[in-house]
């Protein structure tokens, strides 16, 4: 689930940046830090939700 959230975030950001005129490689590099943050938050969220459901 976390990987799906991060991938979705990355693709949406990539599309927005390339439509604004950024090169594909530059847009990908610019999206990586936030994508990793979203992945981390999604992993933590998932772990917390699993702990509550036990």
């Amino acid at each position: 689930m976390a990987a799906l959230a991060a991938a979705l975030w990355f693709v949406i950001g990539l599309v927005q940046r390339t439509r604004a005129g950024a090169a594909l490689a530059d847009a990908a590099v610019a999206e990586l830090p936030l994508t990793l943050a979203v992945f981390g938050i999604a992993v933590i969220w998932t772990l917390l939700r699993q702990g509550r459901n036990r």
Side-chain angles (χ1 to χ4, degrees):
M1 187 59 82
L4 182 61
L8 184 61
W9 181 275
F10 183 77
V11 169
I12 290 170
L14 197 64
V15 168
Q16 287 180 342
R17 287 181 187 269
T18 54
R19 283 189 180 173
L24 183 62
D26 293 337
V29 169
E31 283 299 317
L32 280 178
L34 280 175
T35 300
L36 292 175
V38 167
F39 179 74
I41 291 168
V43 165
I44 291 168
W45 183 314
T46 302
L47 291 174
L48 289 174
R49 289 190 67 205
Q50 287 178 355
R52 288 184 188 158
N53 290 338
R54 288 183 183 183

